[in-house]
Amino acid sequence: MVQSARISCATTATVNSGETTAATASFKYKFGDEGYLLDYHGTKVCYPMYESLPVVERFQATAEDVCIASFPKSGSHFMGAVVWMVLHDGDPASLLEGGTLASKIPRLEWSLPGMATNMLPAYKLSQQAGQRVFLTHLGYDALPESVQTHAKIIYIARNAKDVIVSTNYFFRALKFKQFTGTMQETAQSFMNDTCAFGPFFDHVAGYQRQASDMASLFFVTYEEMLQDVEKTIKGIARFLGKELDETQIANIKRCCSREEMKNNKTTNCEDLHNAGLMDFKVSPFMRKGIVGDWKNHFSPELNRQVHEWIEQEGRRVQQDLKEFHFQYQDESIEQEERRVKHKQDQRKIQFQHDHVLAG
């Protein structure tokens, strides 16, 4: 399933944005096929994204550039909206008007089968003057050296269980993936390191390791963002050298809320559905986005398997993760469960006390 060879040349056939519907028929590899994944500097890049890598390698980043990095389905779209508005001083029009968020913040390694070099985002970005803001799902070691050295990198991580659920819905909705797998099969691809842009824990640990030593890398979790988005906005603003007042911060919170983004055509990725690349009847691009949704989808046995994998992988990369731990459910749920457990413990103690007195 995984190739180890390095891509040495880009394809040259032309596929423009108006031909994306027809392009779905030309995907020669689908999930699970031999040739679907390419091991590129430790990141298993999926087809057809790896066809863009020769152009990605040549991309030259500058100190002005901002790179938003994440493992797929970890909140990069949400982060992109926040970063874009921070850079534009909290102006709602910067996000809600004009082109789509994906056009404002292109994905560095994005490609379609046979896409011409001059149509690739990496090439277009290289021709753009001034500050560039872009997204990537490449692991840290797979980034162009200039991005590692010069760009400001913002990494968002999300707990593996919710990423697995979101990936399953997203892959089933993407028509060109031709994926009809179960939640068990999706989870298995994570546990077997055959998921796109995996291995998952190496991806997270690679950026966490660098965040400890690099002033130019900002690391945050999706769960932290949801728990206190204002704190995250302020942290990102400081990182990017922006000073925002309370009104600007309030604008960002409002415009980047899930409800606003889901109802806005510039942020809800409705164009993917209209182009025939994604079926929103199966799942919209922006689905739930909550913490702990895995509880609604994992059987007890699947949860046991995934939990054991998380424990094992956590020990393997512990040195890089340091004291970092994922949050696997909503904080309010955790607090409620601790409250219930405390009450149960108190009842147990009272029962034992009463039993002793009665005896």
Side-chain angles (χ1 to χ4, degrees):
M1 179 185 291
V2 183
Q3 304 176 64
S4 297
R6 191 182 179 96
I7 296 291
S8 60
C9 60
T11 52
T12 57
T14 300
V15 179
N16 62 41
S17 58
E19 295 170 330
T20 51
T21 304
T24 60
S26 63
F27 282 73
K28 60 182 178 180
Y29 300 124
K30 62 180 184 295
F31 180 89
D33 286 349
E34 187 73 29
Y36 173 67
L37 297 175
L38 176 85
D39 193 330
Y40 179 76
H41 297 297
T43 298
K44 293 174 181 176
V45 184
C46 63
Y47 171 84
M49 307 307 166
Y50 59 64
E51 293 186 336
S52 72
L53 293 177
V55 180
V56 171
E57 286 180 351
R58 296 194 295 270
F59 177 74
Q60 294 299 310
T62 71
E64 291 184 273
D65 295 337
V66 180
C67 171
I68 300 167
S70 77
F71 191 87
K73 308 312 297 175
S74 295
S76 58
H77 195 65
F78 177 28
M79 176 61 79
V82 170
V83 168
W84 190 258
M85 286 197 68
V86 167
L87 289 172
H88 290 82
D89 303 313
D91 180 9
S94 68
L95 180 69
L96 305 179
E97 297 177 9
T100 64
L101 182 59
S103 68
K104 295 167 182 172
I105 307 180
R107 183 169 151 196
L108 188 64
E109 68 276 10
W110 172 258
S111 180
L112 288 171
M115 182 172 273
T117 297
N118 63 359
M119 296 300 296
L120 293 170
Y123 177 84
K124 290 184 176 182
L125 283 164
S126 70
Q127 305 301 303
Q128 183 179 322
Q131 184 180 57
R132 284 92 47 102
V133 186
F134 53 90
L135 164 70
T136 186
H137 292 319
L138 294 174
Y140 183 83
D141 291 337
L143 291 175
E145 185 178 349
S146 65
V147 175
Q148 296 176 349
T149 307
H150 300 302
K152 289 183 174 66
I153 301 173
I154 297 173
Y155 186 83
I156 181 168
R158 189 184 187 188
N159 80 74
K161 292 183 179 181
D162 283 333
V163 171
I164 288 170
V165 171
S166 187
T167 298
N168 178 265
Y169 275 92
F170 184 59
F171 273 25
R172 287 192 292 109
L174 284 175
K175 293 183 178 181
F176 58 82
K177 290 286 185 185
Q178 302 176 57
F179 179 72
T180 57
T182 63
M183 198 65 69
Q184 175 73 48
E185 290 171 317
T186 304
Q188 203 64 50
S189 73
F190 277 68
M191 294 185 283
N192 292 342
D193 291 337
T194 55
C195 59
F197 295 93
F200 175 83
F201 276 92
D202 294 78
H203 202 288
V204 177
Y207 281 93
Q208 173 67 5
R209 179 180 66 246
Q210 299 300 326
S212 304
D213 305 318
M214 291 174 57
S216 59
L217 201 159
F218 182 92
F219 187 104
V220 69
T221 69
Y222 182 74
E223 294 78 18
E224 288 170 335
M225 282 192 74
L226 290 186
Q227 189 172 330
D228 194 341
V229 67
E230 183 170 329
K231 179 181 177 181
T232 304
I233 292 169
K234 291 179 178 178
I236 291 170
R238 284 193 299 270
F239 177 70
L240 297 176
K242 300 289 291 185
E243 292 187 11
L244 302 176
D245 60 32
E246 293 305 312
T247 299
Q248 292 168 327
I249 291 171
N251 284 341
I252 297 172
K253 285 179 64 177
R254 175 177 56 81
C255 294
C256 297
S257 69
R258 185 154 201 85
E259 295 74 22
E260 289 285 332
M261 289 184 65
K262 196 167 185 177
N263 292 322
N264 183 1
K265 291 184 178 181
T266 65
T267 56
N268 63 13
C269 295
E270 189 177 287
D271 56 312
L272 293 177
H273 175 76
N274 295 336
L277 291 172
M278 191 171 181
D279 187 353
F280 274 24
K281 293 179 181 178
V282 175
S283 175
F285 183 86
M286 300 187 69
R287 197 176 59 87
K288 287 187 178 180
I290 62 174
V291 180
D293 191 37
W294 61 269
K295 288 187 171 185
N296 300 315
H297 298 85
F298 281 19
S299 67
E301 175 58 21
L302 178 56
N303 187 46
R304 182 192 65 78
Q305 293 173 17
V306 173
H307 180 76
E308 289 180 357
W309 166 70
I310 289 171
E311 291 289 307
Q312 178 181 326
E313 288 294 284
R315 288 191 296 269
R316 182 177 64 81
V317 297
Q318 185 174 17
Q319 184 175 350
D320 290 331
L321 287 179
K322 303 184 187 306
E323 299 301 317
F324 173 76
H325 295 285
F326 281 109
Q327 181 183 329
Y328 286 94
Q329 57 186 355
D330 187 88
E331 187 67 26
S332 61
I333 297 176
E334 291 180 345
Q335 291 172 348
E336 176 65 15
E337 289 185 344
R338 285 196 295 268
R339 187 186 65 78
V340 171
K341 185 177 186 305
H342 177 72
K343 185 176 290 187
Q344 291 173 339
D345 290 342
Q346 291 299 311
R347 288 175 178 171
K348 185 177 180 180
I349 293 170
Q350 186 64 45
F351 174 80
Q352 291 172 339
H353 176 71
D354 293 344
H355 184 71
V356 170
L357 291 178

